[in-house]
């Protein structure tokens, strides 16, 4: 039996780690040290309109934050491979 994908109110499929509650999107993941990290945003993508009465800086959609976190995580892993303990 196939697992049903989670969708937002606009019918878009949410990726693994993404969810929505109370009008805000959330992305959760576990960092390399085992700490749980959560990001919140009023918009899923950069093209989404910000809800009336809410404020958000440009470049802070959930998917943009998610990409930044994944990039930083990948860079930390690469630094650990190069320098041994991750310190530069």
């Amino acid at each position: 039996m196939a697992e049903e994908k989670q969708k937002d109110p606009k019918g878009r499929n949410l990726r693994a780690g993404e969810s929505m509650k109370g009008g805000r999107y959330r992305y959760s993941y576990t960092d390399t040290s085992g700490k749980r990290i959560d990001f919140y945003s009023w918009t899923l993508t950069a093209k989404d309109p910000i809800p009336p009465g809410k404020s958000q800086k440009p470049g802070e959609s959930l998917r943009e934050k998610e990409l930044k976190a994944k990039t930083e995580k990948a860079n930390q892993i690469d630094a650990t491979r190069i320098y041994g303990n991750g310190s530069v």
Side-chain angles (χ1 to χ4, degrees), residues 9-68:
K10 294 181 180 181
R12 298 178 290 192
N13 289 329
L14 297 177
R15 298 175 184 168
E18 294 178 347
S19 62
M20 185 176 190
K21 186 176 180 183
R24 284 179 31 174
Y25 293 93
R26 181 180 81 172
Y27 175 68
S28 298
Y29 74 99
T30 305
D31 70 2
T32 55
S33 65
K35 183 179 175 185
R36 187 82 171 164
I37 307 291
D38 294 317
F39 292 115
Y40 294 90
S41 179
W42 290 109
T43 58
L44 182 62
T45 66
K47 294 181 180 182
D48 291 346
I50 299 168
K54 308 298 181 193
S55 63
Q56 181 171 294
K57 295 177 185 175
E60 290 194 349
S61 72
L62 189 74
R63 298 259 168 100
E64 289 171 313
K65 289 180 177 183
E66 184 179 342
L67 179 62
K68 183 178 176 184

Side-chain angles (χ1 to χ4, degrees), residues 63-81:
R63 298 259 168 100
E64 289 171 313
K65 289 180 177 183
E66 184 179 342
L67 179 62
K68 183 178 176 184
K70 286 180 179 180
T71 302
E72 289 175 359
K73 186 176 180 181
N75 288 341
Q76 179 61 37
I77 291 170
D78 291 341
T80 303
R81 287 184 192 155

